[in-house]
């Protein structure tokens, strides 16, 4: 029983870490949004293009595409060697951390559900497990879409023989689709969202407020048990 509780605490910490990384990633604007960096990159690309043209002893208009491609390849490799990362990588960092937060919440939910069904546990655990669904009503639906993106991308729901999605209207700060629309892997501020198997759009807020709700549930669960031994303060220093 204690091992299961320790694993529950571990998932809480994992969610907390994912949240901290998400906040850090969203606070720092991507490098490709920096005008000065864009101008430096353009200048360096032009320099590399001239170097290639000199290596080839000049070139006609028919060779411009080849020079442009070679210059782009050299420029990228030079930038990566100096610590730069592809724009696609940089753009996806917040999404990776948002999904890590989502998966940690989902694992916490599953583990608490199993624990609540163990023989001899306090009866109130089932009530505390229900509080997860109350606090994060779209958790399971959004997580299932993230795990089965291959079906949602084809407009299919859940199950062994998934049926076509019946897309429901979506209206939020980013999207106004009264006729319904398929949305996958979306960030609406701090809210990570996707179209769920029932056709509705769902979100999970990657925020300190969500961590606060999870903390209350974890503390409530731990308080239902009788503990022996010295008090602990977690996490460690």
């Amino acid at each position: 029983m204690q091992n299961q509780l320790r694993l529950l605490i571990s998932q809480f910490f994992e969610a907390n870490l994912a949240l901290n990384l998400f906040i850090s990633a969203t606070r720092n604007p991507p490098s490709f949004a920096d005008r000065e960096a864009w101008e430096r990159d353009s200048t360096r690309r032009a320099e590399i293009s001239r170097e290639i043209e000199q290596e080839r002893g000049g070139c006609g208009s028919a060779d411009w595409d080849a020079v442009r491609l070679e210059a782009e390849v050299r420029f990228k490799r030079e930038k990566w060697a100096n610590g730069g990362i592809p724009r696609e990588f940089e753009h996806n960092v917040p999404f990776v951390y948002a999904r890590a937060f989502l998966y940690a919440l989902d694992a916490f939910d599953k583990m608490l559900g199993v624990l609540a069904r163990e023989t001899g546990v306090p009866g109130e655990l089932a009530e505390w497990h229900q509080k997860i669904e109350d606090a994060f009503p779209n958790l399971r639906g959004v997580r299932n879409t993230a795990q089965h993106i291959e079906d949602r991308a084809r407009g299919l729901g859940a199950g062994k023989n998934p049926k076509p999605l019946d897309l429901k209207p979506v209206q939020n700060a980013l999207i106004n689709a009264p006729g319904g629309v398929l949305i996958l892997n979306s960030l609406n501020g701090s809210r990570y969202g996707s179209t769920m198997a029932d056709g509705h759009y769902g979100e999970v807020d990657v925020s300190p407020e969500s961590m606060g709700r999870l903390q209350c549930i974890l503390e409530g669960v731990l308080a239902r048990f009788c503990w022996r031994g010295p008090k602990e303060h977690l996490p460690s220093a």
Side-chain angles (χ1 to χ4, degrees):
M1 194 68 65
Q2 190 169 7
N3 286 338
Q4 292 187 61
L5 290 171
R6 291 293 181 189
L7 287 172
L8 198 66
I9 294 171
S10 177
Q11 288 304 135
F12 173 81
F13 289 152
E14 189 171 314
N16 204 158
L17 173 59
L19 171 63
N20 292 347
L21 293 170
F22 174 81
I23 291 174
S24 177
T26 53
R27 281 179 177 171
N28 299 319
S31 61
F32 53 79
D34 186 333
R35 177 70 182 183
E36 292 183 4
W38 181 85
E39 291 177 350
R40 286 195 302 270
D41 289 350
S42 296
T43 299
R44 183 57 186 146
R45 280 189 175 94
E47 293 172 351
I48 294 174
S49 294
R50 289 193 292 270
E51 292 171 4
I52 295 172
E53 290 175 7
Q54 291 174 0
E55 291 171 5
R56 297 188 176 198
C59 60
S61 59
D63 297 325
W64 285 347
D65 282 344
V67 170
R68 179 195 60 78
L69 178 60
E70 178 65 20
E72 185 68 11
V73 171
R74 291 189 188 184
F75 168 77
K76 288 179 180 179
R77 289 176 175 168
E78 178 182 278
K79 192 167 184 178
W80 296 339
N82 291 326
I85 63 173
R87 179 180 298 185
E88 292 85 353
F89 291 11
E90 197 171 1
H91 168 76
N92 276 296
V93 169
F95 292 86
V96 171
Y97 295 145
R99 286 193 297 274
F101 182 81
L102 174 74
Y103 294 149
L105 280 184
D106 182 67
F108 185 100
D109 177 33
K110 286 187 172 67
M111 291 173 64
L112 182 53
V114 170
L115 182 62
R117 293 191 293 271
E118 290 279 4
T119 302
V121 300
E124 301 97 325
L125 256 58
E127 298 175 14
W128 283 97
H129 181 230
Q130 177 61 40
K131 290 181 184 295
I132 297 179
E133 184 176 345
D134 296 339
F136 309 102
N138 294 322
L139 172 60
R140 185 60 56 85
V142 174
R143 175 267 178 194
N144 285 347
T145 289
Q147 287 292 97
H148 299 284
I149 195 76
E150 75 284 356
D151 287 334
R152 301 301 179 276
R154 294 180 294 154
L156 299 176
K160 292 184 178 180
N161 298 302
K163 296 180 179 180
L165 290 171
D166 179 15
L167 297 174
K168 303 300 190 296
V170 181
Q171 185 172 11
N172 57 37
L174 294 178
I175 300 167
N176 182 19
V181 64
L182 179 65
I183 304 170
L184 300 174
N185 197 37
S186 171
L187 272 177
N188 178 15
S190 64
R191 296 179 175 275
Y192 178 82
S194 291
T195 299
M196 301 182 291
D198 64 359
H200 287 91
Y201 173 73
E203 293 179 329
V204 173
D205 195 15
V206 186
S207 68
E209 290 75 20
S210 290
M211 275 308 304
R213 298 188 194 103
L214 193 64
Q215 179 181 354
C216 289
I217 294 170
L218 175 61
E219 290 177 345
V221 169
L222 296 179
R224 303 281 78 77
F225 289 86
C226 295
W227 294 86
R228 290 178 294 182
K231 292 182 178 181
E232 285 186 272
H233 182 271
L234 299 174
S236 59

